[in-house]
Amino acid sequence: MQPANGRTLVNFATNFWTERGELTRSVSLLGRRVDLRIWPTSYTWSFGDGTTSTTSKPGAPYPDLQVTHDYRRAGRVAPSVDTTYAAEFSVDGGPWQPVSGTVTIPGAPVGLRVLTATPTLVGYR
């Protein structure tokens, strides 16, 4: 998330993203080669203040603000993201077959402190 120092401000667009991406693997199962392709289909963002949002994008670092959230109150929150994956497989180089259903992997919460900033006018002499 950005800012990356574990702190953000009330009414400030806090940026979120994850780097969870596609996964390809080959395994041996009962003497046969099984190729797997696994990819994220959705991301469910829990912002730690009771609000959630589901997106098809993983978000991105600044300046590409794809997933942002404005906190309305100061305090400590623990945002997280759950990633839902779909998959397909191929046996011994054969055609790709879809895997029935999806799997959602819960993300670990990250501590975030939401602060209130007080504007101060400063004069120069």
Side-chain angles (χ1 to χ4, degrees), residues 84-105:
T84 300
Y85 293 92
E88 57 188 7
F89 68 95
S90 169
V91 178
D92 291 330
W96 287 99
Q97 305 283 331
V99 173
S100 177
T102 59
V103 172
T104 300
I105 305 296

Side-chain angles (χ1 to χ4, degrees):
M1 73 188 125
Q2 289 171 316
N5 60 3
R7 297 182 301 179
T8 191
L9 296 173
V10 170
N11 297 322
F12 178 78
T14 304
N15 188 39
F16 292 89
W17 80 93
T18 182
E19 295 177 351
R20 295 180 181 175
E22 295 185 19
L23 174 69
T24 57
R25 289 275 194 272
S26 293
V27 297
S28 180
L29 185 63
L30 301 174
R32 303 185 80 173
R33 188 185 89 225
V34 179
D35 298 316
L36 301 167
R37 291 195 289 211
I38 305 165
W39 64 94
T41 59
S42 67
Y43 304 87
T44 301
W45 306 89
S46 297
F47 297 110
D49 62 356
T51 60
T52 62
S53 177
T54 300
T55 66
S56 61
K57 296 184 178 189
Y62 182 84
D64 297 325
L65 304 176
Q66 297 174 358
V67 179
T68 64
H69 181 67
D70 291 358
Y71 290 95
R72 300 295 178 206
R73 292 189 184 104
R76 294 185 184 273
V77 294
S80 64
V81 60
D82 297 344
T83 307
T84 300
Y85 293 92
E88 57 188 7
F89 68 95
S90 169
V91 178
D92 291 330
W96 287 99
Q97 305 283 331
V99 173
S100 177
T102 59
V103 172
T104 300
I105 305 296
V110 176
L112 178 64
R113 191 169 169 204
V114 182
L115 304 170
T116 301
T118 304
T120 304
L121 294 176
V122 177
Y124 292 96
R125 294 182 187 193

